[in-house]
Amino acid sequence: MDLNLKGKTALVMGASQGIGKAIAEALISEGVKVALCSRSADKLKKTCEEISADTFFAADLSSDGAGKEVTEKAIAHFGKLDILVTNTGGPDKNNFLEVSSQQWRTDFNSLWLSLTESLQAALPSMQKNQYGRVLMVTSIAAIEPLPGLTTSNGLRAGLSGLARSISNEFAADGITLNLLLPGYTNTDRLKALNLSDEKVKAMVPAGRLGEPCELADLATFLASEKGAYITGQSIAVDGGVLKSH
Ligand SMILES: NC(=O)c1ccc[n+]([C@@H]2O[C@H](COP(=O)([O-])OP(=O)(O)OC[C@H]3O[C@@H](n4cnc5c(N)ncnc54)[C@H](OP(=O)(O)O)[C@@H]3O)[C@@H](O)[C@H]2O)c1
């Protein structure tokens, strides 16, 4: 299938490794010019060279204003921004009574505010070009809470409502907004959990972890003109874990 993505431009956040890197790599393989963002300039430089990305911007997206600043840099670099992929690291694990106010603030900044800031910077430019694809990487926790991931469960559930609201406002401008909900996916974040094959089989009907490239293939389709009529959706890539969606 020709996705006709050649010459499009993208900013992919949380892209030095894992799911973000896989999405960036998949877009590049379709001819998209991609800018990467994450905190570590060293990791970004290595990934940028490895996957032939166009450029990178190091920024901590949990800092005030970072989402806006990075998005404006990407627009200035390319002259336009067709595709925005919002993504950051997963928050610390804590039960509700253990979550400090500081953790709420940090996780809100990282998972929510960086996203709204970058959307406010990107959408006017997409509107001008009458083309835009926004993909927000969140989690299956947005639909069914995961044990101990209190801030993720709360903040990510709200993002689904936000995406529906924004997608209504911009649908007539050729702009789509969708949420990608990874299930248990084979990245460094998950490796830390040391899940045995037996545990994975008990949790995941498909009987295996997802690969980042499986989510990236969906992202690439949604980023293309073929995805023009899909907007405001939360789409899980989870091997059948979610039952209520
Ligand atoms: N893997 C899974 O099974 C799974 C399941 C459900 C949801 N998710 C969610 O999907 C997202 C991506 O997960 P992943 O597995 O790809 O994680 P990962 O391998 O840990 O990668 C996270 C990426 O985000 C960057 N990052 C982290 N904090 C950042 C910040 N404050 N500002 C800017 N960049 C930041 C990291 O690079 P630097 O270190 O250079 O900043 C890295 O490139 C996370 O939000 C995670 O919670 C993952």
Side-chain angles (χ1 to χ4, degrees):
M1 190 189 299
D2 183 5
L3 293 175
N4 207 15
L5 276 164
K6 207 158 188 288
K8 297 275 191 236
T9 62
L11 169 62
V12 183
M13 297 175 163
S16 64
Q17 64 181 51
I19 290 168
K21 178 184 172 189
I23 294 175
E25 201 169 5
L27 290 172
I28 290 165
S29 75
E30 293 293 330
V32 178
K33 290 184 206 155
V34 175
L36 313 175
C37 168
S38 82
R39 290 166 302 184
S40 160
D42 288 347
K43 275 161 67 179
L44 280 171
K45 186 169 183 295
K46 199 166 154 259
T47 303
C48 192
E49 284 166 8
E50 184 191 329
I51 67 175
S52 303
D54 208 69
T55 190
F56 63 85
F57 307 112
D60 182 346
L61 292 165
S62 65
S63 312
D64 275 357
K68 176 174 186 278
E69 195 180 317
V70 166
T71 307
E72 287 175 348
K73 278 186 186 166
I75 294 170
H77 176 79
F78 292 125
K80 62 167 186 163
L81 190 64
D82 301 303
I83 302 159
L84 172 65
V85 181
T86 63
N87 177 41
T88 55
D92 287 346
K93 223 173 160 186
N94 268 320
N95 291 320
F96 177 67
L97 292 180
E98 297 159 346
V99 182
S100 64
S101 298
Q102 187 51 51
Q103 185 183 346
W104 276 113
R105 281 188 206 98
T106 305
D107 292 349
F108 176 74
N109 279 356
S110 173
L111 298 180
W112 188 295
L113 203 58
S114 69
L115 180 153
T116 53
E117 282 176 355
S118 63
L119 281 173
Q120 283 177 334
L123 286 169
S125 148
M126 291 175 169
Q127 219 170 8
K128 206 169 107 205
N129 298 326
Q130 292 290 290
Y131 187 94
R133 298 287 182 267
V134 178
L135 300 167
M136 308 175 186
V137 178
T138 68
S139 170
I140 53 170
I143 309 292
E144 289 177 10
L146 297 173
L149 284 168
T150 306
T151 57
S152 175
N153 296 336
L155 294 169
R156 285 173 155 158
L159 285 177
S160 309
L162 180 71
R164 279 201 200 97
S165 163
I166 307 173
S167 63
N168 277 341
E169 280 188 52
F170 291 90
D173 291 312
I175 300 171
T176 68
L177 272 105
N178 291 291
L179 293 103
L180 302 174
L181 279 44
Y184 297 96
T185 310
N186 192 11
T187 68
D188 282 0
R189 175 160 169 86
L190 203 73
K191 275 179 200 131
L193 295 179
N194 267 330
L195 292 172
S196 64
D197 282 356
E198 292 72 41
K199 273 194 182 158
V200 170
K201 282 189 178 129
M203 290 188 303
V204 185
R208 64 172 178 85
L209 296 178
E211 292 302 325
C213 63
E214 294 180 296
L215 197 119
D217 287 341
L218 173 64
T220 308
F221 177 81
L222 292 173
S224 76
E225 279 164 14
K226 307 265 184 212
Y229 212 54
I230 305 170
T231 192
Q233 302 304 306
S234 295
I235 307 174
V237 181
D238 68 349
V241 171
L242 288 186
K243 300 288 182 289
S244 57
H245 182 54

